[in-house]
Amino acid sequence: MATPMSASRFLSALRDEGLTVVEVGDWSHHNRNSKGPWGPVHGVVIHHTATQGTDSTVRICRDGYTSLPGPLCHGVIAKDGTVHLVGFGRANHAGAGDPDVLQAVIAERDLPPDNEATTDGNRYFYGFECENLGDGQDPWPAAQLDAIAKAAAAVCRVHGWTQRSVIGHLEWQPGKVDPRGFTMASMRERIAGRLR
């Protein structure tokens, strides 16, 4: 169990990991905390956006939609590896997921199949949305993959977590496919390398 870090600590952790970070508006106070608790935190969820174009992607992830208000994550990782911070606190990114997966993340052990959607993931996870169409064809540039690993490692480093605390949306919520185009096993290997 971990108390969420402060917004300023989150920002410094990302920069300390070597990332280029852009602060979007009053990101550090933009959240959905009025809709439920934020924390304790147990891990990081990686997503793809199913969008194209950094500016529009950042705007969508900050503002959300009529049916799903923003922020839709904490940071947007662009194709060039830049991390755009759009919110901090509770964010509409993980949705309801599998309680057995949550327990596995907490214990940092192999993940079971996600076959339930009964647990509020927005409370327990940091979230990074990664700019990609999610069609399996849109490329993942090396700079972007490196930035995903750095961002996840930065959060893990602060909380004393290993790479096993980082999951894909598809490992949390039944029916989700993101991120599509790389495997979470390969991403966790990258994160482990950074943490070493």
Side-chain angles (χ1 to χ4, degrees):
M1 180 190 303
T3 301
M5 67 182 98
S6 68
S8 61
R9 183 69 184 93
F10 183 61
L11 174 61
S12 64
L14 295 172
R15 288 184 169 154
D16 289 348
E17 204 67 36
L19 289 158
T20 299
V21 181
V22 173
E23 300 178 71
V24 181
D26 189 19
W27 69 273
S28 64
H29 297 100
H30 184 50
N31 56 58
R32 301 290 293 162
N33 290 1
S34 64
K35 299 300 180 182
W38 163 235
V41 287
H42 299 297
V44 179
V45 178
I46 305 298
H47 307 261
H48 68 232
T49 59
T51 61
Q52 192 170 39
T54 300
D55 290 347
S56 60
T57 295
V58 169
R59 185 175 63 253
I60 290 167
C61 289
R62 185 188 191 289
D63 298 339
Y65 306 91
T66 302
S67 59
L68 189 68
L72 305 183
C73 60
H74 300 104
V76 178
I77 302 177
K79 291 277 192 181
D80 67 358
T82 301
V83 180
H84 300 259
L85 298 182
V86 297
F88 199 74
R90 184 182 177 89
N92 279 335
H93 74 98
D98 195 300
D100 295 329
V101 172
L102 179 62
Q103 291 308 311
V105 171
I106 292 169
E108 295 197 316
R109 56 178 164 76
D110 290 345
L111 298 175
D114 56 328
N115 52 25
E116 290 182 73
T118 59
T119 299
D120 174 15
N122 296 334
R123 174 180 185 173
Y124 297 118
F125 291 102
Y126 296 91
F128 290 100
E129 285 279 0
C130 308
E131 180 190 344
N132 191 277
L133 289 173
D135 58 4
Q137 305 300 314
D138 192 13
W140 290 92
Q144 188 179 29
L145 291 172
D146 188 47
I148 296 167
K150 285 180 176 179
V155 175
C156 290
R157 203 180 299 283
V158 169
H159 289 297
W161 299 334
T162 74
Q163 74 280 1
R164 288 178 175 266
S165 289
V166 183
I167 61 175
H169 201 194
L170 78 171
E171 295 173 309
W172 168 247
Q173 190 175 57
K176 295 297 182 180
V177 298
D178 55 316
R180 179 182 280 170
F182 63 86
T183 67
M184 284 307 301
S186 68
M187 181 53 65
R188 282 188 283 269
E189 287 179 12
R190 285 174 177 259
I191 296 163
R194 287 210 61 84
L195 291 172
R196 281 196 293 271

